[in-house]
């Protein structure tokens, strides 16, 4: 059934996506640390705070919020063994040939261009920072979707920084010349990259 009268306010979706990350043990700073490690060599004056603000900006994109809500929900349902067979076993074991987890994460990366796509591929293979922790967490935790989603957010935030650095270079500046807030969320009417 398609009912256009049922609408969820974008603020509610944004809060739910961020709450889901926190519930799963992922802080914005965890993702920002990955971005910083990947970008610090190439961006003079870049700080962790710049990276935090870039991650916050990425988290304002609906595509990212929707991907987080779907992926985390599936991980949590798998932890509770509420999926039907064989999907339950595939997600619970993070089956290598499954690929749907990467597909959902990759879908949200496309907004940020080819740099973000190649960076996501790198992160998917290298498992940097909290991505590695999520991918190898012992016990009954299922992070089949979450590790890829965190990688997609980090890749997108890193891409934003790379593009911003190019703009700064053209202006004869570096990240040392701008406040971190310039990379953060803008008013709702300016929800562009």
């Amino acid at each position: 059934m398609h009912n256009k009268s049922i609408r969820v306010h974008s603020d509610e979706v944004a809060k739910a996506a961020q709450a889901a990350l926190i519930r799963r043990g992922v802080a914005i700073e965890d993702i920002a640390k990955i971005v910083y490690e990947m970008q610090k060599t190439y961006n003079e004056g870049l700080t962790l705070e710049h990276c935090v603000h870039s991650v916050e900006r990425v988290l304002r994109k609906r595509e990212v919020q929707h991907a987080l809500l779907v992926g985390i929900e599936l991980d949590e349902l798998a932890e509770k063994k509420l999926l039907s067979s064989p999907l339950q076993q595939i997600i619970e074991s993070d089956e290598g040939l499954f690929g749907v987890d990467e597909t959902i994460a990759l879908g949200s990366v496309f907004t940020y261009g080819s740099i973000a796509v190649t960076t996501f591929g790198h992160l998917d293979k290298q498992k940097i920072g909290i991505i590695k922790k999520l991918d190898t967490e012992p016990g009954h935790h299922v992070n089949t979707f979450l590790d890829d989603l965190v990688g997609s957010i980090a890749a997108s935030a890193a891409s934003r920084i790379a593009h911003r650095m190019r703009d700064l270079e053209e202006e004869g500046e570096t990240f040392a010349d701008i406040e971190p807030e310039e990379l953060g969320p803008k008013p709702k009417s300016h929800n562009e990259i």
Side-chain angles (χ1 to χ4, degrees):
M1 179 174 98
H2 182 71
N3 187 344
K4 290 185 179 185
S5 67
I6 300 174
R7 294 222 175 189
V8 180
H9 196 280
S10 58
D11 287 344
E12 189 176 335
V13 176
K15 286 177 188 172
Q18 289 196 20
L21 277 175
I22 292 166
R23 185 172 68 244
R24 300 301 289 181
V26 179
I28 289 173
E29 292 79 16
D30 296 328
I31 303 171
K33 287 176 185 175
I34 297 167
V35 176
Y36 181 71
E37 283 303 311
M38 295 184 67
Q39 292 293 314
K40 68 181 178 182
T41 305
Y42 310 107
N43 298 287
E44 182 183 336
L46 184 70
T47 66
L48 181 60
E49 193 174 356
H50 285 111
C51 298
V52 165
H53 286 286
S54 189
V55 169
E56 288 172 344
R57 184 70 180 273
V58 169
L59 288 171
R60 291 188 55 97
K61 298 296 277 182
R62 284 185 187 92
E63 294 89 345
V64 174
Q65 295 165 358
H66 294 162
L68 281 169
L69 291 174
V70 169
I72 290 172
E73 184 82 11
L74 286 168
D75 282 346
E76 291 176 337
L77 288 171
E79 278 182 8
K80 296 173 185 173
K81 301 195 182 301
L82 294 175
L83 299 172
S84 59
S85 183
L87 185 60
Q88 174 65 41
Q89 292 81 10
I90 291 169
I91 292 177
E92 190 174 5
S93 67
D94 199 1
E95 167 66 44
L97 296 176
F98 181 52
V100 176
D101 46 341
E102 285 90 358
T103 302
I104 289 175
L106 187 59
S108 66
V109 171
F110 283 130
T111 305
Y112 292 93
S114 60
I115 294 170
V117 173
T118 57
T119 301
F120 173 72
H122 171 75
L123 289 173
D124 188 43
K125 291 294 180 199
Q126 297 302 314
K127 309 289 188 204
I128 298 170
I130 193 164
I131 299 169
K132 182 173 186 155
K133 178 184 179 242
L134 293 169
D135 187 55
T136 59
E137 193 167 22
H140 300 298
H141 294 285
V142 176
N143 295 320
T144 299
F145 288 86
L146 184 59
D147 64 331
D148 296 308
L149 291 165
V150 168
S152 73
I153 295 164
S156 297
S159 177
R160 289 186 77 254
I161 287 171
H163 284 283
R164 182 66 171 130
M165 185 63 204
R166 177 64 183 267
D167 294 340
L168 290 170
E169 287 173 347
E170 290 175 359
E171 297 165 7
E173 298 179 321
T174 69
F175 277 98
D177 299 312
I178 65 168
E179 293 296 320
E181 292 80 15
E182 290 185 45
L183 292 174
K186 292 195 177 184
K188 290 182 187 180
S189 61
H190 295 89
N191 199 17
E192 75 281 346
I193 297 176

